[in-house]
Amino acid sequence: MVKIGLSDFLVISWAVLGAQLIRFGPDAPAVTLSDAGESPVQLQYAVFSVLLIGAWMLLLHIQDAHEPRILGHGPEEYKAVVTASFWLFGMVAVVSYVLRLELARGYVAMAMPVGMVGLLVSRWLWRRWLRLHRAQGLLSPSVLVVGDRDHLTSLIRALKSVPEAGYHVVAACSDSADRSDIDQIPLLGKESEAAEVARRIDIDTVACAASSMSGNDGFRRLSWALEGLDVELVVPALTDVAGPRVFTRPVAGLSLLHVEAPVFAGPRLALKNTIDWLGATLLLLLLSPLFAVVAVLIRRDAPGPVLYRQERVGKDGESFPMFKFRTMQVGAETMLASLLDQSEGQGPLFKLRSDPRITSVGAKLRKYSLDELPQLVNVLRGEMSLVGPRPPLASEVETYEKHVRRRLLVKPGMTGLWQINGRSDLSWDESVRYDLYYVENWSVTSDMMILWRTTHAVLHGAGAY
């Protein structure tokens, strides 16, 4: 991505040279290298600034910040930018100490933080541009999916659900399909013919689903057949395990895939809890005027209490009273039985777009998730987290299969993957898949990304009813 590399260079140059100009004006002094017993060596700030820009760009490249595979989706792009920037901060500090560089603190304090923030904003703007194009099927590599029919169906639907990730499925190869297409994707051959099909229709990426017919030997033969075709081979065999938990280790000519266990304790959890407490406290203070306005609107719209308490199930199956702004008429729960046959939800979820129990103000609150703000109190009390799985009802938990109960290994969240990927529009299976993925792979970095994306999801109001 030459354009993104050029954008990074311009942002870094703007930050570094701008800091030099603001700190020293047009006539910058020299950087002095002090060394006892020798005459001081002078280095012009302009030269140092050029070296700093070059080092920053080099570290971005070393951290794979320009790799096409991480652009446009997921936290890895932002993580690479931040990591490279902090490495640069550390290197400048070490070099300054070892060589006794008398760097102006104001110059460094402006250039580096401004440059890092500028890079993140620039990447966000590029990501928005890239997502708009990918949503229209542009700037996305063409993908050929290979495997048995059942696994291909779920893989195709998963890739279609996130067009911003840049995987445009155009064809399939399978030994077990009984018709000419799979989920509206044309079937062009058998699994053994995948390399020939990829060459014939000029495919960019081949994605292999789990297939009982291919196995390790099949993957190896396919990778050999794709050599020289400039085709990327993707094997999503561990679709519910995130990259940081996976690493390979060569043993006796084999590449052994190690999968670390999910983390449910330790320093990372302590950091998450601290962020929850500080975040909830700050938001309650900032949003207190909004709370007062919402309370007045609820009281004026329909008689009854402002807050609504509902028993939900939290970590380890412990029940707690979850707080929300009241969005329904008083006595709405007694009306539920008469509406069950109209439910539009799947599984144990009750969903109804035109629920007659919802008040006019309540509909607005739900659209922008304002009714959920009192849950900040639940976060302060340690019953919920800012980010986590959706807090379930006890009646839902009673229907859980054994694997679904893993949702209860962490605190439920005010927002989560379910919130930023469709909210109420999600099916039951999709909701479970997102929640289980979060439980298995949560991290502080992913929490920050989810919180950021929640703002966009809430402002658009899609999937909320």
Side-chain angles (χ1 to χ4, degrees):
M1 284 287 186
V2 177
K3 292 181 179 178
I4 294 180
L6 178 60
S7 175
D8 288 346
F9 175 76
L10 292 175
V11 168
I12 292 172
S13 300
W14 165 75
V16 174
L17 298 178
Q20 177 183 321
L21 185 61
I22 292 172
R23 177 62 179 83
F24 302 110
D27 300 318
V31 182
T32 301
L33 285 75
S34 300
D35 197 356
E38 296 182 7
S39 300
V41 177
Q42 303 291 318
L43 179 67
Q44 294 297 319
Y45 260 100
V47 175
F48 182 82
S49 293
V50 170
L51 293 175
L52 189 62
I53 293 169
W56 209 331
M57 290 296 297
L58 178 62
L59 285 170
L60 286 172
H61 180 73
I62 291 173
Q63 292 296 325
D64 294 330
H66 300 126
E67 278 290 316
R69 61 184 174 81
I70 71 169
L71 299 178
H73 183 70
E76 293 303 314
E77 181 180 0
Y78 296 128
K79 184 177 179 181
V81 169
V82 172
T83 301
S85 300
F86 274 113
W87 268 104
L88 182 71
F89 297 174
M91 288 173 58
V92 169
V94 171
V95 170
S96 297
Y97 176 78
V98 172
L99 299 182
R100 299 183 183 179
L101 286 176
E102 296 181 359
L103 285 174
R105 293 184 180 88
Y107 166 75
V108 176
M110 278 190 286
M112 295 190 170
V114 169
M116 184 172 71
V117 172
L119 285 172
L120 293 174
V121 172
S122 170
R123 290 304 183 102
W124 179 77
L125 292 173
W126 275 114
R127 178 171 289 205
R128 296 285 298 171
W129 179 84
L130 190 58
R131 284 185 174 183
L132 288 174
H133 284 75
R134 284 178 172 176
Q136 302 172 31
L138 305 173
L139 301 179
S140 298
S142 55
V143 178
L144 170 70
V145 291
V146 182
D148 65 75
R149 181 181 184 84
D150 291 339
H151 287 94
L152 283 188
T153 300
S154 60
L155 176 59
I156 290 169
R157 290 176 180 174
L159 295 179
K160 282 184 176 180
S161 68
V162 282
E164 64 269 21
Y167 292 101
H168 179 51
V169 181
V170 299
C173 288
S174 177
D175 293 344
S176 59
D178 53 4
R179 61 180 195 226
S180 60
D181 67 88
I182 300 176
D183 200 33
Q184 301 182 340
I185 298 298
L187 182 67
L188 300 184
K190 296 185 177 296
E191 294 176 33
S192 59
E193 301 169 339
E196 173 58 26
V197 171
R199 184 196 62 76
R200 187 172 74 244
I201 64 175
D202 195 22
I203 286 293
D204 299 309
T205 301
V206 174
C208 295
S211 173
S212 58
M213 298 181 184
S214 294
N216 292 333
D217 289 338
F219 292 139
R220 187 183 299 112
R221 287 194 297 271
L222 178 57
S223 68
W224 292 340
L226 292 174
E227 287 181 2
L229 297 182
D230 193 24
V231 175
E232 183 181 16
L233 179 61
V234 179
V235 185
L238 296 174
T239 53
D240 291 325
V241 180
R245 289 181 52 209
V246 180
F247 64 94
T248 58
R249 180 185 179 193
V251 176
L254 300 174
S255 292
L256 300 183
L257 196 65
H258 290 246
V259 182
E260 295 180 350
V263 176
F264 303 116
R268 279 174 53 194
L269 183 62
L271 177 59
K272 177 181 173 69
N273 291 336
T274 301
I275 292 173
D276 283 342
W277 190 87
L278 292 175
T281 301
L282 180 61
L283 287 172
L284 281 171
L285 291 173
L286 292 176
L287 297 176
S288 54
L290 178 61
F291 277 53
V293 172
V294 171
V296 171
L297 292 175
I298 292 173
R299 278 293 180 89
R300 291 180 58 183
D301 184 53
V306 170
L307 293 178
Y308 173 71
R309 289 175 45 142
Q310 187 176 50
E311 287 297 314
R312 296 293 180 110
V313 180
K315 184 179 178 182
D316 300 327
E318 295 290 331
S319 295
F320 68 95
M322 189 183 75
F323 302 108
K324 299 179 70 173
F325 282 124
R326 182 173 60 86
T327 59
M328 291 186 174
Q329 305 168 16
V330 175
E333 291 185 350
T334 61
M335 303 168 59
L336 179 61
S338 62
L339 299 172
L340 288 176
D341 59 341
Q342 303 177 42
S343 176
E344 301 170 10
Q346 297 184 13
L349 294 178
F350 175 81
K351 295 291 181 183
L352 188 60
R353 290 182 183 272
S354 301
D355 195 323
R357 302 172 298 165
I358 298 177
T359 64
S360 57
V361 169
K364 295 293 184 182
L365 295 178
R366 286 187 170 215
K367 181 177 182 180
Y368 299 105
S369 297
L370 296 177
D371 60 316
E372 298 174 6
L373 290 179
Q375 292 167 26
L376 290 168
V377 176
N378 292 116
V379 176
L380 274 182
R381 291 168 50 157
E383 298 159 339
M384 294 181 65
S385 175
L386 292 176
V387 182
R390 188 184 61 82
L393 294 164
S395 58
E396 295 174 26
V397 175
E398 291 173 359
T399 68
Y400 280 1
E401 298 177 47
K402 184 176 180 180
H403 73 283
V404 182
R405 295 190 67 87
R406 290 186 64 80
R407 296 168 82 178
L408 307 179
L409 290 174
V410 299
K411 294 177 185 177
M414 290 184 64
T415 185
L417 290 174
W418 48 275
Q419 175 81 292
I420 62 176
N421 286 286
R423 303 162 84 178
S424 294
D425 287 338
L426 293 175
S427 68
W428 169 251
D429 289 339
E430 289 172 327
S431 177
V432 169
R433 179 166 62 86
Y434 281 123
D435 280 347
L436 291 182
Y437 182 89
Y438 177 82
V439 170
E440 297 290 328
N441 303 290
W442 75 269
S443 68
V444 173
T445 302
S446 66
D447 280 5
M448 296 299 103
M449 288 289 296
I450 291 171
L451 288 171
W452 173 255
R453 291 182 60 190
T454 296
T455 304
H456 178 270
V458 167
L459 290 177
H460 280 71
Y465 52 88

